[in-house]
Amino acid sequence: MTDFNQIPLRPDLKGQVPYGAPQINVPVALNVNENTFGIPEVVALEIIQRLAAEVIGLNRYPDREFMQLRGKLADYLGFGLAPEQLWAANGSNEILLQAFQAFGGPSSSAISFGPTYSMYPNIARISLTPYEEFEREADFELSADYVAEKIRDSNPGIVLLCSPNNPTGTPISLAVIEAAYQAFDGILIVDEAYAEFSAEESALSLLSGRPRLMISRTMSKAFAFAGARVGYVAADATAIDALRIVRLPYHLSSLTQAAALAALSFSELLLENVAQIKGQRDRIIQQVTKMGLRAFRSDSNFVLVEGFQDSNEVFEKLLERGVLIRNVGIPNTLRFTAGTESETTKLLAELAIMLD
Ligand SMILES: *Cc1c(COP(=O)(O)O)cnc(C)c1O
């Protein structure tokens, strides 16, 4: 077989591998922080109806500016946001890529605080943006002083703060975000993919008067819409306009727009399971602590647990028992997504047997 050395691949991409959380068909999949509750039938029917209405017009390009969807996203978020302050793409990963294309690049730079979302370095690399990760403080927490100091010292073009943070679950307080914003002149991106699970106030409350602040969200997690690929961002209208320069034309298909509008029309129903999921998260924390393991503080729909002698062995054994979880590469830890009550029961039971 031909390999990368025989084709003119960008030198900086040689030796790199694609993003690849395992996709394995198992009864209990708690590995990529999806909402494991399915789409309610009434929502499914609404989606189908709206898709059906679009199909006949698929010979035409979709609405490039999708103002209707941006308006509904603004309504959903509240805070008096205008449609011009919203933007959407195929997952918040694409939002982040567009932000890096607009504000990053070889003459800029980006930083974050690790361990954090594994796609940040990938997105930086794809957009040719130099990227550095500073270590988090004890227990993966972040304080305003520490964050501001690292930002001032490195003076990057982009700062990424993930709150609650994946894979640790740690939320970031508004005080930290305010301090980060003040510490430099670049773009501050707060990744709130798990905001609906968090008790912390959203950084959306800080948007007014902060034109360099961008808050990215997704329908992939709390909304149970990962397969539809809908991410979005709220920011000052000028920052949104910058994303419009780098986006590919017609990037959001009319089917995606219709499906997202249908889901948003049922946002309350779709978010009904959030309380239940948070209950299962807290149950995981409680039960693994009883098993002598250590759970890190989580304000999300997953828990990072420490205390495994051999994380990979536990991963493999759980997989044999039909439970897929995530080894994120932090020594002696594993990450568990909170699922339904019965999925959580299965996970905890298998863990208990294994550690006995
Ligand atoms: C899951 C996740 C996303 C969402 O990705 P999508 O592309 O919207 O599915 C973004 N950021 C973090 C930290 C995540 O964990």
Side-chain angles (χ1 to χ4, degrees):
M1 203 184 104
T2 315
D3 70 34
F4 285 162
N5 290 316
Q6 294 163 278
I7 56 171
L9 179 67
R10 253 166 54 181
D12 62 304
L13 295 181
K14 286 189 178 156
Q16 301 293 344
V17 291
Y19 169 88
Q23 288 194 305
I24 306 170
N25 221 342
V26 289
V28 179
L30 303 173
N31 63 325
V32 285
N33 301 338
E34 294 151 335
N35 181 335
T36 65
F37 288 84
I39 299 281
E41 192 172 308
V42 53
V43 185
L45 290 173
E46 178 69 19
I47 294 170
I48 290 164
Q49 268 183 14
R50 298 219 194 185
L51 291 180
E54 289 300 323
V55 168
I56 200 85
L58 283 180
N59 58 313
R60 301 291 181 187
Y61 281 110
D63 176 1
R64 216 169 31 215
E65 303 299 333
F66 49 96
M67 291 313 290
Q68 194 190 357
L69 176 58
R70 290 161 74 184
K72 294 294 179 195
L73 289 167
D75 292 347
Y76 166 68
L77 290 180
F79 292 93
L81 291 170
E84 292 74 21
Q85 292 181 269
L86 267 294
W87 184 250
N90 298 283
S92 54
N93 281 313
E94 189 178 31
I95 293 283
L96 294 175
L97 179 60
Q98 291 177 346
F100 269 67
Q101 288 173 322
F103 302 109
S107 60
S108 180
S109 63
I111 67 157
S112 191
F113 295 85
T116 188
Y117 189 37
S118 62
M119 276 306 294
Y120 297 157
N122 278 0
I123 286 165
R125 187 190 311 120
I126 296 166
S127 64
L128 302 173
T129 311
Y131 175 80
E132 187 176 2
E133 230 163 68
F134 295 104
E135 250 179 71
R136 290 178 160 253
E137 297 172 272
D139 301 330
F140 304 125
E141 300 280 341
L142 285 177
S143 68
D145 286 348
Y146 178 79
V147 166
E149 182 195 313
K150 293 297 180 202
I151 294 174
R152 245 182 261 115
D153 290 352
S154 54
N155 194 28
I158 299 173
V159 173
L160 283 159
L161 292 179
C162 189
S163 180
N165 184 51
N166 182 10
T168 63
T170 332
I172 299 176
S173 73
L174 288 190
V176 174
I177 291 161
E178 275 186 281
Y181 188 85
Q182 274 182 25
F184 76 136
D185 297 325
I187 293 287
L188 174 59
I189 302 173
V190 182
D191 183 345
E192 291 192 349
Y194 301 95
E196 286 90 350
F197 301 103
S198 177
E200 203 70 53
E201 199 184 339
S202 167
L204 290 167
S205 64
L206 299 176
L207 264 187
S208 177
R210 290 186 178 82
R212 299 177 287 108
L213 179 60
M214 308 189 88
I215 294 145
S216 84
R217 294 279 191 108
T218 181
M219 293 182 75
S220 294
K221 308 289 161 59
F223 262 90
F225 223 45
R229 310 304 299 128
V230 185
Y232 54 103
V233 61
D236 187 87
T238 308
I240 298 294
D241 271 350
L243 302 186
R244 292 174 58 237
I245 295 175
V246 298
R247 65 103 146 77
L248 295 174
Y250 316 109
H251 69 289
L252 208 58
S253 86
S254 39
L255 299 179
T256 304
Q257 293 181 38
L261 284 167
L264 283 166
S265 75
F266 279 102
S267 57
E268 268 174 45
L269 179 62
L270 282 170
L271 295 177
E272 256 178 20
N273 293 320
V274 165
Q276 164 72 259
I277 292 165
K278 288 195 288 187
Q280 297 308 316
R281 170 197 70 200
D282 294 339
R283 179 176 166 222
I284 293 172
I285 294 174
Q286 205 178 43
Q287 294 302 314
V288 297
T289 307
K290 278 189 191 158
M291 294 175 202
L293 300 164
R294 174 166 178 238
F296 290 94
R297 182 163 88 103
S298 174
D299 214 19
S300 192
N301 68 334
F302 56 86
V303 184
L304 185 71
V305 177
E306 185 179 61
F308 303 101
Q309 267 180 10
D310 186 341
S311 306
N312 226 22
E313 189 188 328
V314 177
F315 173 91
E316 292 294 344
K317 277 190 176 168
L318 283 173
L319 188 54
E320 274 168 30
R321 309 290 299 169
V323 182
L324 180 62
I325 47 103
R326 189 82 182 269
N327 182 354
V328 294
I330 304 171
N332 308 111
T333 72
L334 289 168
R335 193 192 66 191
F336 306 128
T337 304
T340 61
E341 183 174 1
S342 65
E343 287 169 332
T344 308
T345 300
K346 170 80 173 163
L347 165 71
L348 292 171
E350 294 298 346
L351 256 188
I353 294 167
M354 205 175 300
L355 297 171
D356 202 20

